[in-house]
Amino acid sequence: MSSSDSKKTPPRITSTAEFARYIGLARTTVSRVLNRQPGLKQSTIDRVHHALTETGFTPNAYATLLKGKSTSSIGICLENLLTPPILLKLATLQRQLRSQGYTSLIEVYAHGESRNILRHFLSMRVEAVIFIGHFDAGELETRIRELIGHKTPNLVIDHHGIPLANTVTLDRAQAMREMMNHLLELGHRSFGLLGIPLEHPSRFERIHGIRAALAAHGLDLPACARSFDAQCMRTHDFEFGHALARQFLELKQPPTAYVALNDEIAIGAMRALQEAGLAIPAGASVTGFNNQDICTMMAPLLTTVDQQIEPTIKTAMQVLMSQLRDGMPARPILRTIKPELVIRQSTGRAAR
Amino acid sequence: MSSSDSKKTPPRITSTAEFARYIGLARTTVSRVLNRQPGLKQSTIDRVHHALTETGFTPNAYATLLKGKSTSSIGICLENLLTPPILLKLATLQRQLRSQGYTSLIEVYAHGESRNILRHFLSMRVEAVIFIGHFDAGELETRIRELIGHKTPNLVIDHHGIPLANTVTLDRAQAMREMMNHLLELGHRSFGLLGIPLEHPSRFERIHGIRAALAAHGLDLPACARSFDAQCMRTHDFEFGHALARQFLELKQPPTAYVALNDEIAIGAMRALQEAGLAIPAGASVTGFNNQDICTMMAPLLTTVDQQIEPTIKTAMQVLMSQLRDGMPARPILRTIKPELVIRQSTGRAAR
DNA sequence: ACCATTTGCGGACAGGTGTCCGCGTCAAGC
DNA sequence: GCTTGACGCGGACACCTGTCCGCAAATGGT
């Protein structure tokens, strides 16, 4: 319904004033239409909208937001290691934010760069900052303090134990407890830990859960579980798991069950065991963590722990929205997500 | 109300004027320090920087950028289906952009939303827009035209054949030609295509390459290759490949080689063939596409095509930078990336 | 004590938008 | 023809920063 060919290439318009001149209205009138203010004739509104689609003009967001309108943007800082579960959380979160009208600014953490990333977020006047994954604890704590100083809501997903941070995290201790109970009921008494050192702050939760499950059965951690993490380099997880399992196979009495930090490591280990002639689960049991897609592509299907990403993000959104609505909480909000054990084919009754 | 405590909790400062008042300097002086202008005493500069780290003040990016400074931001629109290769491209691209001083605005395409996404990018006055993946061709073309109208550089990675778009894409026809030559040399003469319909615009390139390789050997596509895509739903790729392979196994004379659209489908097919008692590659050959990590986690290791993501992104950056430097090109720039065949263990001599 | 130089001050303007307000215009109803 | 609304105009101010410029104050040297 528009005009003829002469208007096929409408001019490039970069300000409301220019746009108003183009359609022969006052700048203020255009602004009123754009901001849905009352008291305008329908025909005028239509005229503006029509010219809008014709020229493709968009008001300068910087001027709009400078004027004090809420930026409706959220900063998201991602852990350096982009694993499938992390990316799935990001994608789910971004979708939900978008449906609530928020834009997300995404930055990937690089060593020592968190300060600059946060400054960028703050200069963009984001309404909240979310961290997803695991970071340097001291650095993260400093960032959280800065955010609080700026009265900007914060949220940490996954990383657990930062004093003043609002946190949503999987109960990894509980996960390991359930996994160990499962293996113990199958008769296993000797365990190989893959990627889970016995003494390391970052794996504390997992070890805690393992120890608790063993204790409940009257067993002692150092007596029946070993870890060779120090001996191998962790570069590519799959090969890491492969190398670790080979270490265990050199023992006089290898463990009957292997508990891995994640699915890739578990699969690498399964591969090494199978190459050594062990059937799974008849000869040895293997467990993963994360319940990634590959778990159902293996033979046998991998027993693992599901991170419950949907509920995690749902909870995260609740924590976030409550902060955006009611302001920052007096005490940090802590939410724990219950994991779900997924028993498949890679675990079975202990051989001896 | 805060002279004593003020050191411990510095006030939240939101403008240069406020900040200048806080440290007892003129606003213009602070601004000069922040923008590294000459003619200031070192002690003054230090004083400002010190207060800056103390209060954590950051100038409002919206005011700065409104002032006309280049926004140094690039809009990236991602295909809906977040596959590992897409995400790897995104991560690589973002890293490179950041190293050049550009910020990226990331949006995931949702059906029919491309218009809004583009408007958001334009309102943020991005300096270029990049599309990664495959989209609705008509919709994408319209967006490209809009970008050209706004004199904003564009770049499409992967999607091939949009008239006015600058494009960087893998030579998928060449990839299939090489793959087919490899299989033909191994003696294969009957092929099962998995996820690659014989007649479908989106797979045209692949079919074209397959047909060319067959023709060079004096063979005819419909006579020696079949596809059962119409019979199965493509939901989860792994199960899709599994189901497709089972269809082929019901034939009196199943093919000796299977060519899959991607690695997941290939792995699903391998699984189905192995369950049916076929050894790979002795009983049948299977090939994937993308060279994802899982290819080296399978037994046997999967023969596949590497997308050459590093060179792809490197080329993309070149195309982008040349546009940002010299303005938009007279004719669209087209760059093709040469794929690399990765021969592993899942392909072998044909049984008959 | 005087002068030259360095250094900081403060006013002014631009950049694009949102919003308020008083005023002019136009059409409809009597 | 007059009144009464409804509607659009255009001026003004605010948001925050970068930059220019004239001027005052502090500094340093002799």
Side-chain angles (χ1 to χ4, degrees):
Chain A
M1 55 153 100
S2 76
S3 13
S4 52
D5 302 37
S6 63
K7 283 195 183 165
K8 239 197 162 177
T9 50
R12 191 167 59 120
I13 291 176
T14 54
S15 78
T16 331
E18 221 175 304
F19 179 75
R21 233 174 294 136
Y22 177 66
I23 57 175
L25 281 174
R27 187 182 73 79
T28 47
T29 309
V30 172
S31 181
R32 290 234 291 280
V33 173
L34 292 176
N35 294 287
R36 295 186 186 70
Q37 289 189 3
L40 293 173
K41 222 175 5 182
Q42 190 58 42
S43 66
T44 311
I45 296 177
D46 292 343
R47 185 146 65 110
V48 171
H49 280 140
H50 179 255
L52 221 48
T53 62
E54 183 201 348
T55 61
F57 166 68
T58 21
N60 187 321
Y62 295 100
T64 309
L65 298 174
L66 171 60
K67 192 61 185 68
K69 247 188 184 172
S70 134
T71 62
S72 290
S73 65
I74 307 283
I76 302 179
C77 181
L78 281 186
E79 163 186 329
N80 205 352
L81 196 64
L82 294 180
T83 60
I86 294 274
L87 290 170
L88 189 53
K89 282 172 207 163
L90 171 66
T92 313
L93 185 60
Q94 199 195 6
R95 182 153 23 90
Q96 302 235 9
L97 285 173
R98 159 176 281 276
S99 78
Q100 299 283 331
Y102 287 95
T103 302
S104 25
L105 264 59
I106 301 164
E107 294 273 4
V108 177
Y109 171 77
H111 187 66
E113 278 291 302
S114 74
R115 186 183 167 77
N116 288 334
I117 291 174
L118 188 56
R119 287 178 70 89
H120 176 225
F121 285 158
L122 290 175
S123 80
M124 297 296 286
R125 303 296 191 254
V126 297
E127 300 189 10
V129 173
I130 305 177
F131 294 86
I132 307 182
H134 292 267
F135 301 83
D136 177 279
E139 209 175 328
L140 183 52
E141 187 179 341
T142 312
R143 297 299 150 255
I144 298 293
R145 284 184 191 281
E146 288 175 6
L147 281 169
I148 292 172
H150 282 264
K151 301 216 194 314
T152 303
N154 69 75
L155 175 59
V156 176
I157 299 177
D158 283 358
H159 196 127
H160 176 254
I162 302 295
L164 294 172
N166 303 301
T167 309
V168 175
T169 185
L170 187 74
D171 189 343
R172 290 187 159 73
Q174 169 73 8
M176 294 322 280
R177 210 154 38 221
E178 287 184 25
M179 184 60 90
M180 290 302 287
N181 281 338
H182 168 60
L183 291 170
L184 286 163
E185 279 168 19
L186 288 170
H188 294 277
R189 290 299 179 267
S190 65
F191 303 90
L193 305 186
L194 310 172
I196 311 176
L198 293 179
E199 310 279 348
H200 197 280
S202 72
R203 306 300 174 215
F204 172 76
E205 270 193 284
R206 304 225 195 183
I207 287 293
H208 183 72
I210 294 173
R211 179 178 280 125
L214 288 173
H217 282 69
L219 297 171
D220 184 38
L221 177 67
C224 56
R226 296 190 61 175
S227 168
F228 284 122
D229 277 44
Q231 271 81 333
C232 301
M233 283 288 292
R234 180 180 175 189
T235 50
H236 189 57
D237 274 357
F238 173 72
E239 276 134 31
F240 183 51
H242 194 270
L244 285 173
R246 291 181 61 90
Q247 292 264 338
F248 277 105
L249 286 172
E250 287 181 10
L251 293 176
K252 262 191 314 195
Q253 278 212 329
T256 63
Y258 294 87
V259 177
L261 178 72
N262 63 36
D263 293 331
E264 277 99 346
I265 292 177
I267 288 166
M270 270 208 319
R271 190 74 186 287
L273 297 173
Q274 287 172 330
E275 284 171 1
L278 276 173
I280 297 174
S285 290
V286 179
T287 70
F289 203 103
N290 283 348
N291 194 22
Q292 294 169 214
D293 284 353
I294 35 170
C295 295
T296 58
M297 299 191 205
M298 308 313 296
L301 305 183
L302 188 65
T303 293
T304 189
V305 173
D306 190 278
Q307 280 215 29
Q308 301 289 86
I309 290 183
E310 282 283 345
T312 303
I313 298 303
K314 201 175 156 196
T315 306
M317 284 296 288
Q318 285 170 359
V319 173
L320 190 69
M321 288 302 153
S322 80
Q323 287 186 78
L324 290 174
R325 207 179 34 236
D326 313 327
M328 300 178 60
R331 269 172 309 184
I333 305 173
L334 300 179
R335 291 284 172 79
T336 310
I337 304 297
K338 289 245 166 303
E340 188 187 310
L341 193 58
V342 182
I343 298 174
R344 294 206 181 91
Q345 303 168 346
S346 68
T347 46
R349 193 145 285 286
R352 333 171 251 274
Chain B
M1 49 140 55
S2 62
S3 49
S4 59
D5 276 299
S6 66
K7 265 195 196 165
K8 245 201 160 178
T9 51
R12 190 166 60 121
I13 292 174
T14 54
S15 79
T16 332
E18 220 175 306
F19 180 75
R21 232 174 296 135
Y22 176 65
I23 56 174
L25 282 172
R27 188 183 72 80
T28 47
T29 309
V30 172
S31 181
R32 289 234 290 281
V33 173
L34 292 176
N35 294 286
R36 295 185 188 71
Q37 289 189 4
L40 293 173
K41 220 173 9 180
Q42 189 57 43
S43 66
T44 311
I45 296 177
D46 292 344
R47 184 147 64 110
V48 170
H49 280 140
H50 179 255
L52 220 48
T53 62
E54 182 202 348
T55 60
F57 165 67
T58 21
N60 187 322
Y62 294 101
T64 308
L65 297 174
L66 170 60
K67 192 63 187 61
K69 251 186 183 171
S70 134
T71 62
S72 290
S73 64
I74 307 284
I76 302 178
C77 181
L78 281 186
E79 163 186 329
N80 205 352
L81 197 63
L82 295 179
T83 61
I86 295 274
L87 290 169
L88 190 53
K89 282 171 206 162
L90 171 66
T92 313
L93 185 62
Q94 199 195 7
R95 183 154 21 91
Q96 302 235 8
L97 285 173
R98 159 177 280 275
S99 79
Q100 300 281 331
Y102 287 94
T103 302
S104 23
L105 265 59
I106 302 164
E107 293 274 5
V108 178
Y109 172 77
H111 187 67
E113 278 292 301
S114 75
R115 187 183 167 76
N116 287 334
I117 291 173
L118 187 57
R119 288 178 69 89
H120 176 225
F121 284 158
L122 290 175
S123 81
M124 296 296 286
R125 302 295 190 256
V126 296
E127 301 190 10
V129 174
I130 305 177
F131 293 86
I132 306 182
H134 292 267
F135 301 83
D136 177 279
E139 209 176 329
L140 182 52
E141 187 179 342
T142 312
R143 297 300 149 254
I144 297 293
R145 285 184 190 283
E146 288 176 5
L147 281 169
I148 292 171
H150 279 83
K151 300 214 195 316
T152 304
N154 69 76
L155 175 60
V156 177
I157 299 178
D158 282 358
H159 196 126
H160 177 252
I162 302 296
L164 293 172
N166 304 301
T167 309
V168 174
T169 185
L170 187 74
D171 189 342
R172 290 186 158 72
Q174 169 73 8
M176 294 322 282
R177 210 152 38 219
E178 288 184 25
M179 183 60 91
M180 289 301 289
N181 281 338
H182 167 59
L183 291 170
L184 286 163
E185 279 167 21
L186 288 170
H188 294 278
R189 290 298 179 268
S190 65
F191 302 90
L193 304 186
L194 310 172
I196 310 178
L198 293 179
E199 311 278 348
H200 197 279
S202 72
R203 306 299 174 214
F204 172 76
E205 271 193 284
R206 302 226 196 184
I207 287 293
H208 183 72
I210 294 172
R211 180 178 279 126
L214 289 173
H217 282 70
L219 297 170
D220 184 38
L221 178 67
C224 55
R226 296 191 61 175
S227 170
F228 283 123
D229 278 44
Q231 270 82 332
C232 303
M233 284 289 292
R234 181 179 174 189
T235 49
H236 188 58
D237 273 357
F238 173 72
E239 277 134 32
F240 183 50
H242 194 271
L244 285 173
R246 290 181 61 91
Q247 293 265 337
F248 276 105
L249 286 172
E250 287 182 9
L251 294 177
K252 261 191 315 197
Q253 278 212 329
T256 63
Y258 294 87
V259 177
L261 178 72
N262 62 37
D263 294 330
E264 276 99 347
I265 292 177
I267 288 167
M270 270 208 319
R271 190 73 188 288
L273 296 173
Q274 287 172 331
E275 284 170 1
L278 276 172
I280 295 174
S285 289
V286 178
T287 70
F289 204 104
N290 284 346
N291 193 23
Q292 294 169 213
D293 284 353
I294 34 171
C295 295
T296 58
M297 298 191 205
M298 310 310 298
L301 305 183
L302 188 65
T303 293
T304 189
V305 173
D306 189 279
Q307 281 215 29
Q308 301 290 86
I309 291 183
E310 282 283 345
T312 303
I313 298 303
K314 201 175 154 194
T315 307
M317 285 296 288
Q318 285 169 2
V319 173
L320 189 69
M321 288 302 152
S322 82
Q323 287 186 79
L324 290 174
R325 209 178 32 235
D326 314 327
M328 299 179 59
R331 270 173 309 185
I333 305 173
L334 299 178
R335 293 284 172 79
T336 312
I337 304 298
K338 289 244 166 304
E340 189 188 309
L341 192 60
V342 182
I343 298 174
R344 294 207 182 90
Q345 305 169 345
S346 69
T347 48
R349 195 144 284 285
R352 337 173 247 274

